[in-house]
Amino acid sequence: MKLGFFAANYAHLSLEEVAKIMCEHGYEMMEIPAYIGNGQFDCDEILKGNNAEKLKKMLSGYGITISALSNHADSLLILGPWGEDTDGLYKGTKEEKIKYGTESLLKTAQAANALGVPVVNGFTGVTNWGRYFPFPCPQGWEMMERDFVKYFTPILDKFKEYGVKFAVEPHPNNFIYDIHTAKRAIELVDGHPCLGFNMDPANLIYLGLRIENFVDELGDRIFHVHAKDGEIVEHNIQYGGILMQGDWQRIDRTFRFRIPGWGSVPWKKVITELSLVGYDYVLSYEHEDVTMSVGDGVEKVSAFLKPLIIKAPYEGRRDKIFNNPCEK
């Protein structure tokens, strides 16, 4: 595994400026934002001339390769919600939002193909996440399943043409948010080879999941991993419960996003399970910790995670007292 860095952590800096910071602190792979208007990367521009090769060469000069292009903002529009909740991402009718999100996501896949990047990260969105609770519409979730198949099957087919995989990030307020919905999504598209997951441990513990179980159940579908932690603030749970609303900086919040090592994610166990299922790609640091600066995180995450990364799987031992194969 390699230690990665999400360039959007420093959204106000150019990719080369981010690369310099990464290089100083031992980060090896860059995850790049690719939604429209992100300020760091433009899919249309990267597809012109030899711009893709120029970007790869620049990053290579700092010893950095690209782990994924990420289009979380625009891809969310495909399943919605399609009303005022997403007007800040793109204002339009339901049909206009679906078209905008779909075209942006497919353009990201084209850009990934041009760069030789195997993964695009993103969301699916969800018409109404409240339908996870059966009342008052018991068939609500099944209705959304039909929308998922309708809109994402052709998208996945195009991804296959481009030789790129789509790594959905399980997340509250998305169609895929836990182990059950992740496995169900794969069933709904008949095991499409291009559908997998960008596993973000913080999003999973937010809902009380064991990350180790997610890894063991869906290991071959984990295409990318975020290095992000979350803190279950136990002394506040009796006030608001895990799904408490409100500003992330509220002192009485029951859950906070944190940098790895400062939250509730058991990183040694998670990295062990990832290694055992054969995951050998990236742990991409994403900063959403409102308790400290990105600068603090850059230093602390590298110092914490690098010693934990398993560099190679167990090579085996062959003798009479351990793991000795039976003679036939």
Side-chain angles (χ1 to χ4, degrees), residues 42-63:
D42 187 304
C43 288
D44 287 321
E45 288 300 314
I46 211 69
L47 291 169
K48 294 178 180 177
N50 65 340
N51 286 343
E53 290 303 317
K54 286 181 180 178
L55 176 59
K56 288 195 294 182
K57 184 177 180 179
M58 181 274 287
L59 293 177
S60 178
Y62 295 96

Side-chain angles (χ1 to χ4, degrees), residues 72-101:
H72 291 78
D74 298 341
S75 59
L76 182 76
L77 296 166
I78 298 172
L79 287 185
W82 297 305
E84 63 182 1
D85 287 345
T86 53
D87 280 352
L89 301 175
Y90 179 79
K91 195 165 186 176
T93 64
K94 167 185 171 180
E95 291 73 20
E96 289 169 339
K97 289 185 176 185
I98 294 170
K99 183 174 185 287
Y100 181 90

Side-chain angles (χ1 to χ4, degrees), residues 152-200:
F152 275 94
T153 298
I155 289 173
L156 293 169
D157 288 342
K158 292 298 292 184
F159 266 67
K160 189 175 181 180
E161 286 182 29
Y162 297 137
V164 178
K165 294 181 179 180
F166 182 41
V168 178
E169 185 172 326
H171 193 287
N173 265 356
N174 265 266
F175 179 73
I176 298 170
Y177 67 91
D178 63 3
I179 295 172
H180 298 302
T181 51
K183 294 173 75 172
R184 179 60 177 155
I186 293 170
E187 291 175 0
L188 288 168
V189 293
D190 298 323
H192 200 293
C194 292
L195 178 64
F197 306 103
N198 173 44
M199 189 187 76
D200 187 317

Side-chain angles (χ1 to χ4, degrees), residues 67-296:
S67 67
L69 300 185
S70 291
N71 190 333
H72 291 78
D74 298 341
S75 59
L76 182 76
L77 296 166
I78 298 172
L79 287 185
W82 297 305
E84 63 182 1
D85 287 345
T86 53
D87 280 352
L89 301 175
Y90 179 79
K91 195 165 186 176
T93 64
K94 167 185 171 180
E95 291 73 20
E96 289 169 339
K97 289 185 176 185
I98 294 170
K99 183 174 185 287
Y100 181 90
T102 300
E103 291 180 351
S104 177
L105 184 58
L106 291 178
K107 185 63 67 72
T108 304
Q110 287 180 276
N113 172 275
L115 288 163
V117 175
V119 180
V120 167
N121 297 331
F123 288 142
T124 59
V126 66
T127 309
N128 178 357
W129 192 56
R131 287 177 172 173
Y132 79 88
F133 192 77
F135 179 82
C137 182
Q139 293 79 36
W141 201 266
E142 287 76 11
M143 291 160 57
M144 293 190 300
E145 287 184 347
R146 294 195 290 270
D147 284 336
F148 173 76
V149 173
K150 175 182 177 181
Y151 294 122
F152 275 94
T153 298
I155 289 173
L156 293 169
D157 288 342
K158 292 298 292 184
F159 266 67
K160 189 175 181 180
E161 286 182 29
Y162 297 137
V164 178
K165 294 181 179 180
F166 182 41
V168 178
E169 185 172 326
H171 193 287
N173 265 356
N174 265 266
F175 179 73
I176 298 170
Y177 67 91
D178 63 3
I179 295 172
H180 298 302
T181 51
K183 294 173 75 172
R184 179 60 177 155
I186 293 170
E187 291 175 0
L188 288 168
V189 293
D190 298 323
H192 200 293
C194 292
L195 178 64
F197 306 103
N198 173 44
M199 189 187 76
D200 187 317
N203 300 339
L204 300 179
I205 65 165
Y206 191 179
L207 298 176
L209 279 68
R210 286 297 294 263
I211 306 155
E212 303 95 312
N213 291 342
F214 189 96
V215 174
D216 291 346
E217 290 284 330
L218 293 152
D220 63 340
R221 292 283 177 160
I222 297 175
F223 300 154
H224 196 272
V225 175
H226 269 173
K228 192 176 82 189
D229 212 326
E231 178 187 6
I232 298 171
V233 189
E234 295 184 6
H235 62 272
N236 285 336
I237 287 179
Q238 293 180 343
Y239 288 94
I242 290 297
L243 294 179
M244 176 181 171
Q245 59 81 38
D247 190 279
W248 287 111
Q249 290 182 296
R250 282 181 63 165
I251 194 70
D252 60 352
R253 276 200 69 93
T254 53
F255 181 85
R256 305 172 183 136
F257 288 124
R258 304 303 308 271
I259 64 167
W262 286 67
S264 306
V265 173
W267 285 100
K268 288 182 179 179
K269 294 181 179 180
V270 171
I271 290 172
T272 296
E273 293 304 304
L274 285 169
S275 179
L276 285 173
V277 300
Y279 180 82
D280 188 22
Y281 195 42
V282 68
L283 301 176
S284 182
Y285 159 46
E286 179 184 26
H287 190 97
E288 293 183 346
D289 188 330
V290 297
T291 74
M292 66 177 74
S293 71
V294 179
D296 280 318

